[in-house]
Amino acid sequence: MSIVYKCRHCGHVIGKLEQQVVDTSMLGLDQLTVKEKEEMIKYQNNGDVQIQAICENCEETLGQHPHYHELEFFIQ
């Protein structure tokens, strides 16, 4: 089982953890609301867990163009 952090905007893989057992509190997932968990955590058919996050490049772009927050996707 892998935990894959992937940018929700550009699709870039930010990081990957290869673990058999994971303590979700160590990852901070227990701090998320139910709605945030539904939006950010996706369970894959192969057993992997994909976590939607934001990469440094997209975070910088959003900082330079705050109106992009209104868009579902800002990378064409």
Side-chain angles (χ1 to χ4, degrees):
M1 176 179 103
S2 296
I3 298 173
V4 181
Y5 286 84
K6 194 170 184 180
C7 182
R8 69 176 65 226
H9 298 289
C10 68
H12 175 75
V13 175
I14 300 166
K16 187 175 185 178
L17 300 171
E18 299 283 346
Q19 299 290 328
Q20 292 300 319
V21 178
V22 176
D23 182 357
T24 56
S25 64
M26 289 182 65
L27 299 176
L29 300 179
D30 60 328
Q31 302 295 313
L32 299 174
T33 66
V34 172
K35 183 178 179 183
E36 290 170 332
K37 288 178 184 176
E38 289 173 357
E39 292 174 357
M40 293 179 65
I41 302 171
K42 308 292 182 210
Y43 298 93
Q44 306 300 312
N45 291 334
N46 65 356
D48 288 355
V49 177
Q50 182 175 304
I51 299 176
Q52 298 292 312
I54 184 167
C55 70
E56 290 179 5
N57 291 333
C58 289
E59 184 175 20
E60 183 179 327
T61 300
L62 285 168
Q64 294 171 354
H65 306 280
H67 62 281
Y68 284 0
H69 284 280
E70 300 171 5
L71 306 173
E72 184 74 26
F73 298 100
F74 62 87
I75 295 179
Q76 302 296 320

